[in-house]
Amino acid sequence: KGGSVGGVIIGLGCVCLLLGLIKFVEVTSFKTPKPENVQQVLSHITSGNTDAAKKAAFSISGAGGVLLTTGVEYADEKRGTLEEILYEKILAARPKLERFLPFIALTAAAAPLLGLLGTVTGMIKTFNLITIFGTGDAKSLSSGISEALVTTELGLIVAIPALILHGLLARMARQKIGDLEQTAVGFINGVVASKHDDK
């Protein structure tokens, strides 16, 4: 009923839903270190047992484990250098968390516009039929009007969930990045404090 434009909107909606599910699994399976894991690594560094600290950091899975392992390797560096190295690791983890989000946002913006395009196309078809058959045959006119209304409805049906999905996933991704940043700051502060204790 929505014509070719309706088909495009439905296809876009299906792709958006699929990518949203993939993204949800990706974000929820993205592990960040717990505070007790960070504390365990820091306690090994404070006691001077670098090998145990590396082993403890390596046992943590995901980007958080990579972050802490890198932190242990460069624990003797100055604070500014250590901050830059850990920030680089956080930046490396960000693209994986944020991928597919722009497409979902684009779907939320494009679907109503495609619906509007379908509305205009349907009305043009209706006026063309009026030119040929006049206004007497309501059945022939209804196909164009139906296409105009159905595409508008489809556009909104796709856009509203896509907008909600994007907002939810973007918030979850920001939360994970925030957790990594918090881990990095806690680690740096712990390392700097242990250096002061040694002095």
Side-chain angles (χ1 to χ4, degrees):
K1 288 181 179 181
S4 57
V5 178
V8 171
I9 295 170
I10 291 169
L12 191 64
C14 291
V15 173
C16 178
L17 181 63
L18 180 64
L19 291 180
L21 291 172
I22 293 168
K23 188 75 244 163
F24 182 77
V25 172
E26 267 186 3
V27 174
T28 49
S29 63
F30 188 92
K31 302 294 182 194
T32 53
K34 296 175 182 176
E36 52 264 30
N37 297 136
V38 180
Q39 199 57 49
Q40 186 184 7
V41 173
L42 286 171
S43 63
H44 288 309
I45 292 173
T46 305
S47 62
N49 194 344
T50 310
D51 291 334
K54 281 183 181 177
K55 192 174 180 182
F58 192 73
S59 67
I60 300 165
S61 61
V66 174
L67 183 77
L68 288 176
T69 305
T70 307
V72 172
E73 287 174 6
Y74 294 95
D76 294 331
E77 298 288 339
K78 292 179 182 177
R79 182 181 182 121
T81 308
L82 185 59
E83 282 177 355
E84 290 295 326
I85 290 166
L86 294 184
Y87 185 63
E88 185 183 340
K89 291 296 174 186
I90 293 168
L91 286 179
R94 183 171 280 174
K96 186 182 178 183
L97 280 169
E98 293 182 346
R99 70 174 180 167
F100 303 142
L101 289 178
F103 181 85
I104 296 171
L106 183 69
T107 301
L113 294 175
L114 284 169
L116 183 61
L117 175 64
T119 303
V120 173
T121 308
M123 293 313 292
I124 289 170
K125 186 184 287 185
T126 303
F127 286 123
N128 284 339
L129 290 170
I130 288 171
T131 306
I132 298 167
F133 299 108
T135 56
D137 188 3
K139 192 175 180 181
S140 63
L141 300 179
S142 64
S143 63
I145 295 169
S146 174
E147 184 179 324
L149 295 174
V150 167
T151 51
T152 307
E153 184 183 20
L154 285 174
L156 293 173
I157 286 170
V158 169
I160 293 168
L163 192 63
I164 294 167
L165 190 64
H166 178 264
L168 177 68
L169 292 173
R171 182 181 171 81
M172 289 169 68
R174 282 197 301 270
Q175 180 65 48
K176 295 290 184 181
I177 293 166
D179 290 345
L180 282 181
E181 289 173 349
Q182 192 174 350
T183 299
V185 169
F187 180 82
I188 292 164
N189 289 339
V191 168
V192 171
S194 68
K195 286 178 183 177
H196 284 307
D197 291 342
D198 292 341
K199 289 178 182 178

